[in-house]
Structures are given as C-alpha cells and as structure tokens.
Amino acid sequence: MSLEQDLPIGIFDSGVGGLTVARAVLDQLPHEAVHYVGDTAHAPYGPKPIAEVRRLALDVLDRIVESGVKMLVIACNSASAAMLRDARERYDVPVVEVIQPAVRRAVRATRNGRVGVIGTRATISSRAYEDAFAAAPHLALTATACPAFVEFVERGITSGPELLTAARGYLEPAIAADVDTLVLGCTHYPLLMAVLRSVVGDDVTLVSSAEETAFDVYRELATRELLRPDDRPQPRHRFTSTGDSVAFRRLAQRFLGPQLGPQLVDVEETGPLYLGALR
C-alpha cells in the first residue's frame, strides 16, 4: 500500500452544509478517512462578492493541502462557482466539486424538461449552473437565489412558520415555471428537505448533490488507484471549524448521525486557517 492511499480526503465548506457531502462520502467509502474544514468564521459565503469568496476559499484550501490529503472535495456551491478552475490548476491532488454531479442527476431526472435551481446569491449570480446546463440546451432552467436559507440552517432552524413563509416566497418562480425537478444548489439545503417538499409537492424531484458527489469521489480514487485498502485499521476522521466550535459541534453531530461515535471523530476549533483574509 502506498502512503498516499492512507491520506485522508479533504472536504471544504464555508460552514456546516458540506457535512451532507461528508456524510455521503463516509457512507459510500467507509474505509476512507476524512478531514473536513468549515470556514465558519466567515460563513455564509453566499452574500459575499465572488472575489472575496475566491480568496477566502483558496486560503483555507491551501492549508488543507499542506496538512496532507489525497483529494479535495469543494462541498460548497458558492466556492465551486468562484474558484474551481483556480483550485484544479493550483493543487497537485484531484479536485471534486458539487455542481456538475447535481446537474447530471437533474438532466437524468427531469420528465418535462423544466428544471429549477435554488442557491445562494453568489452561486446564482455566478451563472455556474447555467453554464453547467449548457450541455443540455433542450432544458428550460429557472434559477432563484434563497439568501436566508443558509442562515436558518446555521442557526439550527429547519422547520417553523418563518422558514415556511420564506420557502414559499423563494420557490414561487420555480412553481410558476412548472418545474418537475429542483436542484438544491447549496449543501445546506438538504437539511430543509421536509419544508421544500411541503412547498413544491411530491411530484417534483429534489436533487441533492451529496450522493452524486460521493460517486465522483469514488470514481476519481479508483481511477487513480488511491482507494484505501479494506484491511487497514478503522479510519479516524477530523471535523474542524475556523470559528466557534460549540455550534459547529452540535450541528456536526446532527448532520453526521449517532453512528459516528466520538471514538472515531475529532471535532475541533482550529481558529482561522487562512492567510490575509478580508476582515
């Protein structure tokens, strides 16, 4: 076994939403170690200018790569939209993101050719999803920014009348466009699945990028012969935040589930990992 095979998979998000991707990776690749970093000191990324998102994200990714990982997963739509090309040119390890996997799933899922995308302001204004769907010009796309959703999730609010009212307002364009498939263009949004389902109805397919991204992680590792052998000891995972660890720990336990016990998971507050961050 090469030393590289035993290195962890680095997963990055602006906060806690990327834990949905981490959970899918752990489910599908149970022999792999994960090093997750959430830049909670600067979350949410969505309202920030693209240039600022790019700078913050690359600073954190630099440190993750320096710590020693065999792959990077950018589990943040805003960050993917801002600097995916930069990351792939900057690092020697393979880089997987969340936009293309979700788009592929939506193209397969739609029946009437009308697809909706909801995301942060940064993701929607970047037109990253329009670019990704360009390979399927027969589809009609309705993209809507939902800036408050991330704030609800980061505060641990995933139900209630205030959230339901916000969801009804945000989803009105997609419903009016008669979409039959809705892409959750932010990794926080799967935590709002029940509310979203209640608003759009059972006939609309909700597409989360987490599972599809985990498939891409497996394919990349297998192709590059970087999968960790099954006979290795049980992996230990690290979940770290650049900000307050108390809320992060609580939400991490909720996202990851009780089956990942403390004997296998370190939840830490690293402090800011970036260089020259905008303040």
Side-chain angles (χ1 to χ4, degrees):
M1 184 194 74
S2 70
L3 293 176
E4 197 174 13
Q5 286 176 321
D6 217 27
L7 290 174
I9 298 167
I11 302 180
F12 163 73
D13 186 55
S14 61
V16 300
L19 292 168
T20 57
V21 176
R23 176 73 263 181
V25 169
L26 291 170
D27 285 343
Q28 295 185 32
L29 294 98
H31 301 290
E32 298 292 342
V34 162
H35 179 194
Y36 179 98
V37 179
D39 190 17
T40 54
H42 296 96
Y45 277 10
K48 291 178 169 57
I50 288 290
E52 184 177 354
V53 171
R54 177 185 178 276
R55 184 178 182 181
L56 291 171
L58 287 174
D59 282 341
V60 177
L61 287 174
D62 284 349
R63 297 302 182 92
I64 295 175
V65 171
E66 288 172 11
S67 74
V69 295
K70 62 182 176 182
M71 167 181 279
L72 282 174
V73 180
I74 305 173
C76 174
N77 285 260
S78 298
S80 293
M83 54 65 168
L84 175 61
R85 181 175 299 177
D86 298 284
R88 286 181 168 157
E89 293 175 353
R90 191 179 183 107
Y91 308 119
D92 292 332
V93 298
V95 179
V96 171
E97 50 83 43
V98 290
I99 293 176
Q100 284 289 347
V103 168
R104 289 197 303 267
R105 177 72 181 92
V107 170
R108 294 195 303 268
T110 184
R111 304 175 303 280
N112 68 3
R114 300 186 183 112
V115 176
V117 176
I118 55 174
T120 66
R121 283 199 183 100
T123 297
I124 299 302
S125 65
S126 74
R127 301 186 65 83
Y129 274 95
E130 281 89 342
D131 292 344
F133 274 106
H138 60 288
L139 300 183
L141 191 65
T142 301
T144 307
C146 307
F149 278 172
V150 170
E151 297 174 13
F152 279 115
V153 173
E154 294 281 346
R155 300 202 316 263
I157 300 172
T158 56
S159 63
E162 185 181 0
L163 174 59
L164 182 59
T165 298
R168 285 172 174 159
Y170 287 147
L171 295 170
E172 187 175 342
I175 294 171
D178 192 30
V179 305
D180 73 349
T181 303
L182 182 68
V183 177
L184 310 187
C186 175
T187 50
H188 287 69
Y189 294 178
L191 268 291
L192 305 178
M193 195 78 78
V195 172
L196 299 176
R197 170 65 65 211
S198 72
V199 174
V200 300
D202 293 336
D203 293 335
V204 175
T205 301
L206 300 182
V207 175
S208 167
S209 60
E211 296 294 329
E212 298 298 319
T213 300
F215 293 146
D216 277 16
V217 170
Y218 175 84
R219 281 191 291 265
E220 282 287 335
L221 293 179
T223 299
R224 297 169 185 264
E225 298 184 348
L226 289 175
L227 288 169
R228 190 169 181 265
D230 297 355
D231 60 358
R232 295 290 294 152
Q234 202 165 15
R236 189 170 185 88
H237 313 294
R238 292 179 63 205
F239 292 86
T240 63
S241 65
T242 60
D244 180 11
S245 64
V246 176
F248 178 76
R249 180 185 297 272
R250 173 173 53 81
L251 288 170
Q253 290 170 342
R254 180 177 179 184
F255 274 69
L256 297 171
Q259 56 268 56
L260 283 178
Q263 74 279 7
L264 296 178
V265 181
D266 295 319
V267 180
E268 309 166 2
E269 177 183 341
T270 66
L273 296 177
Y274 48 88
L275 297 170
L278 300 176
R279 293 183 182 275

